[in-house]
Amino acid sequence: MDFSDSPEEAQFRLRLREWIRGNDPGLPASSTDDAYWAGQATWHQSLYDGGFFGTTWPKEIGGQALPSVYDVIVDEELAAAGAPPRPSLGYLVEGILEHGSDDIKQRFMPGIVNGRDRWCQGFSEPDAGSDLASLRTRADRDGDEYVLNGHKVWTSYSDDADWCLVLARTDHDVAKHKGISASAVPMHQRGIEQRPLPMINGITKEFGEVLFDGARVPAANMIGAAGEGWSLAMTVVSYEREPHELGFAGRYAKLVNDLTGQVRDEPSHYSTEQVRELGWAIVETEMLRTHVYRRLSDRLDGVSHGPEGSVDKLLMTWTEQAVGHAALSVGGVAAADGADTWLKVYLYSRAQSVMGGTSQIQRNLVAGRILGLPVS
Amino acid sequence: VAIVAEELGRGLADTAFLGPTLAAEIRRLARASPAASPETVALCLPMSELAVADHGHARQGALAVDARGATSALLLANTPDGQVLAQVSLPSPEIRTDLTRLAAVVGPASAVVPVCQPSGPLTSEELSRWTAMGLALTSADLVGTMRGAIDLTVDYAASRRQYGQPIGSFQAVQHLLADALVAMEGSRSIARHAAWAVDALPADAALAAAAGAKAYCARAARAVCETSIQVHGGIGNTWDCLAHVFLRRPLLSSEVLGGAGACLERVLAYHGIGDSHGLQ
């Protein structure tokens, strides 16, 4: 296995490095400040227009059909330059690519990829978290439309979104996994109420609640057939477990670089214990980077996308929480409100073992599907 | 070489491999002729570096690792021009923690003979690259040991029954084993990168990559092999069960050329954070 760049990759990396110098918008980290979200659409479009977003997706939807390693190069270079991370949309794109008709792909994909249309995801509900298939939001047919009623939660950035990928029950007479359908729902309409839900670190864009009260969606916006929503959801969450789809390895590298710089500038201010936490965060982040390369290399050798996503999600979680612990240790708890960026990074890191399937669910999947342990 | 080391670790092989490989590699770097008889390397306690001799005698107590069949061990001797390779004869090897590989004690009074080294003293860059190789090899050995321990434990959890069911069907046991697998997979990724880095990166970056891998693998291996003992229950705490052999081997492999503390220091030093913090 080779971890070095090919000549084409090296050239891409240099071109990107040059581009970042002129185009870094200087946004704060996504996990600590709502200001990131205010500038994210412009940043996404700028990355896309520069040729550095969606590089690995098919050309028909606005991508460049390059190998996955190009996304990793983008993540590494953005992190090294201190620029904001690449927007995390891969899981939506992969889900729609795999399940959407040609009509759906033509209408929706280019806007997602180039960043002109903003999307959010309406999966979880107050009573359907880990047990997602028990969701109760309903979509009832009315002529050429469906009428939506229900309550979604953890709909990140829904107040900025133009579209929401909604899972709703269209058939109440079949097994719970089989009666769910997915649709692209326009967010700018009556019948949709947004309720921000501040995270424990104070940011408000990441979590929200969306209430559908008679909102309407054209039947032609259904993605996949009626009743196929569960398999689309499983595609989406499996990609949501992959660090390279999310670009999170780059986010951690940026945080660790910043922490390292802070300690290096005034080493005598930090105790052995603080430096040790930082050391582990550096090592974990390096582990995740090399793990992403190994997975991409396996993929090139024909190893398909499967339950190992749960292993990757757990490794990503351990890394983020090690970075969080280093941030807490180096930043301390005495910083004033407004100067407590490292505390915010730490608090945000607690969500990683819950979002995209809790660590307990991932461990169940590893035990059953990879280790082949018996079910009780 | 890393792939061989991983498989030997998985199978708890008692073949001498790590010691002779490290000895041959440092001879190659020093452009010395190959060893005439089986040899290994001597490390100064607590094993994080090659032992050093002054005035023809080993400076302090040292341990020759993986010494089964070896009649001598290599170490460094200080000379006015720098550090050169030297050789020390070994007594019979004995068990030190690891039941699969033997170690020989090098007493402080042991006489040391220089090895003919036409190209002069070893540079610090050559020593860094050699240390990187040793860390990559021991990391691979740790990954193999973790794989072997997980296989053993998963088989046991599927066959051992309590409350009328295999214990591997209980979520508490499943989660322990899932964590073990995840720790092994992360270790494997960073260890493979370290093996690649030994030759592909500049010496200081290769050493940092290998030290990061070793710190990660050492911490993971102890946790995984402790999990193996736990899942085996009472029998896992007896000499009758293989689980303790899987715990003992990584305890030793971890310390060879530096465990988690020493390796974290190397990583931090590479990032410009000095060694005043004493993480060992």
Side-chain angles (χ1 to χ4, degrees):
Chain A
M1 200 186 151
D2 190 351
F3 291 86
S4 55
D5 286 345
S6 69
E8 296 77 26
E9 289 159 12
Q11 202 183 9
F12 177 87
R13 192 186 287 277
L14 279 178
R15 194 157 56 81
L16 168 61
R17 207 171 280 176
E18 185 60 33
W19 180 87
I20 295 170
R21 261 184 230 125
N23 293 277
D24 180 356
L27 297 171
S30 56
S31 48
T32 55
D33 204 320
D34 285 335
Y36 171 81
W37 291 104
Q40 202 242 22
T42 312
W43 171 233
H44 178 164
Q45 291 160 15
S46 160
L47 263 179
Y48 178 82
D49 294 344
F52 303 112
F53 187 81
T55 54
T56 66
W57 291 324
K59 290 181 177 167
E60 303 84 81
I61 63 167
Q64 301 174 40
L66 291 169
S68 303
V69 70
Y70 282 83
D71 278 344
V72 177
I73 294 173
V74 171
D75 293 340
E76 288 178 356
E77 290 300 321
L78 292 175
R86 171 169 68 98
S88 298
L89 284 168
Y91 43 97
L92 274 181
V93 171
E94 297 291 348
I96 299 174
L97 266 180
E98 192 166 322
H99 298 273
S101 63
D102 287 345
D103 170 61
I104 288 283
K105 288 184 215 171
Q106 277 163 19
R107 282 198 288 145
F108 294 113
M109 301 297 288
I112 301 182
V113 175
N114 67 28
R116 266 71 187 176
D117 293 335
R118 315 304 300 161
W119 281 68
C120 65
Q121 179 183 315
F123 283 16
S124 297
E125 298 179 3
D127 290 325
S130 292
D131 181 14
L132 179 63
S134 68
L135 62 87
R136 291 203 302 243
T137 293
R138 52 190 302 149
D140 297 299
R141 187 79 186 226
D142 179 24
D144 291 340
E145 294 182 320
Y146 281 91
V147 180
L148 279 175
N149 285 286
H151 185 173
K152 293 291 179 182
V153 70
W154 323 135
T155 45
S156 307
Y157 344 117
S158 55
D159 43 356
D160 288 331
D162 303 307
W163 298 93
C164 183
L165 179 62
V166 173
L167 291 181
R169 195 163 297 285
T170 47
D171 187 340
H172 301 264
D173 301 324
V174 292
K176 63 181 184 178
H177 296 80
K178 295 187 174 155
I180 298 170
S181 305
S183 292
V185 177
M187 292 296 278
H188 306 298
Q189 61 167 308
R190 296 160 64 91
I192 294 181
E193 186 192 337
Q194 306 263 6
R195 288 186 192 160
L197 198 51
M199 279 184 88
I200 56 175
N201 73 347
I203 63 172
T204 58
K205 292 286 190 183
E206 183 94 14
F207 284 173
E209 292 184 281
V210 176
L211 279 73
F212 295 100
D213 180 12
R216 290 183 165 262
V217 54
N221 284 14
M222 187 172 283
I223 299 170
E228 229 184 274
W230 183 251
S231 79
L232 175 139
M234 290 303 98
T235 304
V236 170
V237 299
S238 78
Y239 282 97
E240 210 174 359
R241 289 168 189 160
E242 303 234 339
H244 99 267
E245 292 297 342
L246 295 165
F248 281 4
R251 183 159 68 81
Y252 308 150
K254 173 172 162 45
L255 293 170
V256 164
N257 285 347
D258 291 351
L259 283 167
T260 304
Q262 186 171 322
V263 173
R264 193 168 43 215
D265 287 346
E266 287 179 291
S268 60
H269 289 197
Y270 299 96
S271 69
T272 301
E273 197 48 45
Q274 289 172 296
V275 171
R276 185 195 305 272
E277 295 270 21
L278 175 60
W280 282 120
I282 293 171
V283 168
E284 288 273 1
T285 303
E286 177 70 353
M287 179 283 300
L288 192 67
R289 188 182 76 84
T290 62
H291 185 72
V292 166
Y293 271 96
R294 181 181 144 214
R295 285 296 196 224
L296 295 180
S297 162
D298 287 352
R299 204 73 50 85
L300 288 176
D301 293 341
V303 177
S304 71
H305 187 87
E308 79 281 353
S310 293
V311 171
D312 301 355
K313 169 78 195 317
L314 286 163
L315 287 173
M316 179 165 72
T317 300
W318 294 356
T319 301
E320 170 146 356
Q321 296 187 340
V323 173
H325 283 144
L328 177 64
S329 183
V330 168
V333 294
D337 190 30
D340 55 352
T341 305
W342 291 130
L343 179 69
K344 288 186 165 130
V345 168
Y346 162 69
L347 290 170
Y348 184 86
S349 74
R350 304 320 303 167
Q352 188 54 254
S353 45
V354 178
M355 61 168 86
T358 66
S359 289
Q360 287 69 41
I361 294 287
Q362 308 303 340
R363 288 181 176 107
N364 288 347
L365 294 170
V366 171
R369 297 203 192 157
I370 300 179
L371 293 174
L373 286 166
V375 287
S376 54
Chain B
V1 194
I3 292 169
V4 175
E6 185 177 324
E7 289 305 317
L8 294 176
R10 187 158 76 108
L12 293 174
D14 61 3
T15 327
F17 176 74
L18 174 67
T21 306
L22 286 174
E25 175 65 7
I26 199 157
R27 277 182 179 271
R28 188 184 71 77
L29 288 167
R31 285 164 289 277
S33 54
S37 55
E39 70 177 359
T40 179
V41 292
L43 305 177
C44 63
L45 295 170
M47 288 195 267
S48 56
E49 285 169 358
L50 209 49
V52 178
D54 293 307
H55 312 299
H57 295 284
R59 189 186 281 174
Q60 62 192 63
L63 201 63
V65 293
D66 197 18
R68 191 187 300 273
T71 52
S72 61
L74 293 176
L75 70 173
L76 294 173
N78 280 329
T79 71
D81 301 328
Q83 294 189 312
V84 297
L85 274 190
Q87 218 172 7
V88 62
S89 298
L90 294 178
S92 304
E94 55 196 47
I95 287 171
R96 293 277 165 131
T97 306
D98 181 1
L99 305 182
T100 62
R101 291 169 302 183
L102 306 180
V105 178
V106 179
S110 306
V112 164
V113 200
V115 169
C116 176
Q117 196 174 328
S119 61
L122 284 157
T123 63
S124 66
E125 189 184 316
E126 286 164 341
L127 280 173
S128 291
R129 220 174 261 292
W130 178 80
T131 306
M133 189 205 187
L135 293 171
L137 271 183
T138 46
S139 296
D141 187 273
L142 290 168
V143 171
T145 316
M146 283 187 258
R147 286 175 59 203
I150 291 169
D151 289 347
L152 179 80
T153 314
V154 167
D155 285 351
Y156 182 78
S159 61
R160 166 79 177 165
R161 298 176 73 87
Q162 288 289 277
Y163 304 102
Q165 316 176 42
I167 60 166
S169 67
F170 299 126
Q171 207 173 35
V173 173
Q174 292 187 344
H175 285 194
L176 285 174
L177 289 169
D179 280 348
L181 182 84
V182 173
M184 185 279 289
E185 290 289 359
S187 300
R188 206 177 199 181
S189 296
I190 196 167
R192 284 199 185 170
H193 177 260
W196 168 83
V198 169
D199 298 316
L201 296 184
D204 60 340
L207 180 59
K214 185 66 183 290
Y216 193 92
C217 294
R219 184 182 60 169
R222 193 175 78 177
V224 166
C225 296
E226 286 174 351
T227 288
S228 171
I229 302 252
Q230 178 67 19
V231 172
H232 279 90
I235 200 74
N237 289 272
T238 70
W239 206 266
D240 284 0
C241 175
L242 210 50
H244 79 115
V245 188
F246 275 110
L247 176 61
R248 284 165 175 270
R249 183 173 173 117
L251 291 179
L252 186 93
S253 302
S254 292
E255 292 309 311
V256 172
L257 293 174
C263 284
L264 273 190
E265 271 198 357
R266 290 177 175 134
V267 170
L268 287 159
Y270 178 71
H271 289 277
I273 297 172
D275 55 5
S276 61
H277 288 285
L279 297 181
Q280 301 198 38

